[in-house]
Amino acid sequence: SEKDRRARESAEDMSSSGMVLNPESRFRRRWDITQIFLLLYVAIVVPFRVAFNVKLELWGFWFFFDLLSDCYFISDIFLSFQTAYYNERGELETKTDRIFLHYFRTWFVIDFIACFPGKLIDYMFGDGSEAGLLNLTVLLKLLRLARVARLISRYEAEFHEFLSKIQFGKLALIMGFLGHWLCCLWFAIGSLHTDAVDQFGEPVQGWVLRTWGAEDSSLSTATTMDRSALIRHLQM
């Protein structure tokens, strides 16, 4: 049939050109599986670090893990420019110029912004503190979660018999991550320092500072007693 002929031609094009990756190849599948675990890491850790003011030890394990994670997502941008895609007719598009334009017009801007190395710039040219605009740029990494929809849609057709379970899993993940992010936001708001005063001349403080009365409410600088009390409170 015409569809089979085009599929064979697409496979031949990818075989003759070492620059085009098959989205169904073993390498691409393993790459996507790794991406899923890294996206889960980003979704959980990034909001927690920003909200609780958790400082990374320079040249420590998690510093290098984050650096390797950033390098992975930057590499994925280059791979996406070389990965064939299925067009609106359901045919595998293997022309390099069309692949380039398709990715550039769809997901490139989001992926590029999400890879902004704000924290690394702060370590190199700033004081490496957890405050300031560059620290907040780590939240741009959450834009990487848009990749989840792409990964699911890429394999949804292949696992169509499990479509209902996939949809339920998506809903459970969304609810879990929203709950996690809202809790982090709630703590971050309660930790804000402000110069405002009430009618009695007392400084207006968030619930975290009012409860524990620490000058710095971050988990990284709180006393051991304050930290234990805070964790018990959050677990209630």
Side-chain angles (χ1 to χ4, degrees):
S1 64
E2 180 67 17
K3 187 175 181 180
D4 293 336
R5 183 184 66 81
R6 291 179 178 177
R8 286 195 301 272
E9 290 178 352
S10 298
E12 291 173 358
D13 289 340
M14 283 187 292
S15 299
S16 60
S17 174
M19 299 297 293
V20 179
L21 290 174
N22 189 337
E24 308 294 338
S25 66
R26 180 178 300 179
F27 168 78
R28 188 70 217 196
R29 288 173 179 270
R30 291 178 177 176
W31 184 269
D32 291 341
I33 292 174
T34 303
Q35 187 170 167
I36 290 174
F37 285 105
L38 289 178
L39 289 173
L40 291 174
Y41 170 79
V42 169
I44 296 172
V45 173
V46 169
F48 176 81
R49 285 180 179 166
V50 173
F52 287 82
N53 198 15
V54 177
K55 299 179 181 179
L56 283 180
E57 179 185 354
L58 187 60
W59 312 123
F61 172 80
W62 292 112
F63 174 85
F64 283 108
F65 186 88
D66 278 20
L67 185 61
L68 289 175
S69 175
D70 292 340
C71 291
Y72 171 92
F73 286 108
I74 293 174
S75 301
D76 187 71
I77 292 179
F78 291 97
L79 286 181
S80 296
F81 277 121
Q82 299 174 323
T83 302
Y85 69 96
Y86 289 95
N87 58 28
E88 61 277 3
R89 298 188 299 273
E91 300 171 352
L92 190 63
E93 184 58 70
T94 59
K95 303 296 183 181
T96 54
D97 55 340
R98 295 181 181 177
I99 293 173
F100 183 93
L101 288 176
H102 173 75
Y103 179 60
F104 187 81
R105 292 172 178 174
T106 52
W107 295 101
F108 170 73
V109 174
I110 294 177
D111 291 344
F112 181 78
I113 295 175
C115 289
F116 179 74
K119 195 59 184 176
L120 184 60
I121 294 175
D122 191 28
Y123 275 120
M124 294 175 63
F125 302 104
D127 57 1
S129 65
E130 297 299 314
L133 182 60
L134 283 176
N135 178 50
L136 294 179
T137 58
V138 299
L139 292 175
L140 293 175
K141 292 183 179 181
L142 294 179
L143 292 175
R144 295 172 180 171
L145 299 181
R147 297 167 181 251
V148 175
R150 275 182 283 172
L151 292 173
I152 293 177
S153 62
R154 182 177 297 173
Y155 298 105
E156 228 172 24
E158 182 175 348
F159 299 100
H160 63 276
E161 64 270 20
F162 304 107
L163 187 58
S164 60
K165 296 180 180 179
I166 292 176
Q167 296 294 341
F168 178 79
K170 288 166 58 176
L171 180 61
L173 282 176
I174 291 173
M175 293 179 63
F177 287 143
L178 282 178
H180 174 63
W181 297 340
L182 288 175
C183 288
C184 291
L185 179 62
W186 179 56
F187 184 89
I189 293 175
S191 305
L192 290 177
H193 293 271
T194 176
D195 296 329
V197 295
D198 59 19
Q199 57 182 340
F200 302 106
E202 297 292 333
V204 178
Q205 297 178 329
W207 68 270
V208 174
L209 298 180
R210 291 199 308 269
T211 304
W212 285 277
E215 294 182 359
D216 187 345
S217 59
S218 67
L219 288 181
S220 59
T221 57
T223 62
T224 303
M225 181 175 62
D226 290 337
R227 185 183 308 176
S228 301
L230 174 60
I231 293 175
R232 288 197 301 271
H233 176 79
L234 293 175
Q235 291 176 343
M236 292 178 60

